[in-house]
């Protein structure tokens, strides 16, 4: 597990993944991701969550990781993202 990357998937979720969703299994899971820092993340649909994870995989860089870590810290500090 790393600091930044798609959240770990439950085995029952992975069993239902289609070809596109399986791409998120290519990278190491992380503690924070795009989904973690979006406003009102509890209202994000599963398909949107998958889109965010695939966007992270596509855009992955040290700069993106640093931005996500800073945003995560801010979300935790302010209590946003619920």
């Amino acid at each position: 597990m790393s600091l930044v990357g798609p959240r770990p998937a439950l085995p029952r979720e992975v069993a239902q993944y289609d070809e596109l969703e399986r791409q998120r299994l290519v990278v190491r899971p992380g503690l924070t991701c795009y989904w973690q820092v979006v406003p009102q993340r509890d209202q994000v649909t599963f398909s949107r969550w998958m889109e965010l994870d695939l966007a992270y995989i596509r855009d992955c860089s040290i700069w993106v990781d640093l931005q996500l870590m800073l945003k995560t810290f801010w979300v935790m500090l302010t209590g946003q993202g619920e």
Side-chain angles (χ1 to χ4, degrees):
M1 188 167 229
S2 64
L3 285 176
V4 182
R7 299 289 293 175
L10 298 172
R12 64 181 164 84
E13 293 172 342
V14 174
Q16 297 176 12
Y17 280 1
D18 63 23
E19 186 82 21
L20 183 65
E21 292 165 343
R22 286 192 178 274
Q23 291 179 21
R24 73 187 295 263
L25 304 174
V26 174
V27 298
R28 192 183 313 178
L31 297 174
T32 191
C33 59
Y34 284 145
W35 171 81
Q36 200 75 20
V37 298
V38 295
Q40 299 173 331
R41 70 173 177 250
D42 61 336
Q43 296 178 15
V44 172
T45 64
F46 186 75
S47 61
R48 179 65 181 138
W49 186 356
M50 292 297 108
E51 289 172 12
L52 291 168
D53 283 348
L54 295 174
Y56 171 77
I57 292 167
R58 184 183 59 244
D59 302 337
C60 185
S61 72
I62 197 76
W63 179 245
V64 170
D65 287 358
L66 288 172
Q67 288 178 317
L68 278 169
M69 286 188 278
L70 288 172
K71 286 181 182 179
T72 300
F73 179 72
W74 180 253
V75 166
M76 289 173 29
L77 202 64
T78 61
Q80 296 175 357
E82 298 177 34

